Amino acid sequence: MSKAFIAEIIQDSTGCTGVVATAAAGDLIAAIVGAIKKDGGFTLPSFGTVRVAKTKARKALNPRTGGPVKVKAGKTVRFKASPTLKKTV
C-alpha cells in the first residue's frame, strides 16, 4: 500500500480532486505517525494495533566480514493484527 493508493481511495470515495486527496492522505499518515510518537501506539478497530517496542543492545555479525558488531538499544514498531482481520484474510 502506498500514499498514492490511499489518495486514490480518498478521491474515489469523496469525489474530490487528486491534489486534495493527496493532501488528505499525507495528513492521515502524519496523524498516525504523530499518535505513535505521542502515545506509543494506536489501535484501529477491526484492523490491528501498532505499538512502539524497545529493543535491547545485542551482538550481531557483519554479513560482509563475518566479524562481530555491537548493536545499540533502540526502538522499533510492532504490528498485531486484530482477530477480525486474521479471520478475513
Side-chain angles (χ1 to χ4, degrees), residues 9-61:
I9 297 298
I10 292 171
Q11 184 177 5
D12 290 344
S13 66
T14 62
C16 65
T17 65
V19 173
V20 173
T22 302
D27 291 343
L28 175 66
I29 293 168
I32 291 170
V33 171
I36 291 170
K37 283 184 179 179
K38 180 182 174 190
D39 301 328
F42 75 100
T43 300
L44 192 58
S46 300
F47 187 71
T49 302
V50 177
R51 67 178 176 85
V52 176
K54 294 180 180 179
T55 58
K56 295 180 180 180
R58 64 189 191 280
K59 292 182 181 180
L61 293 177

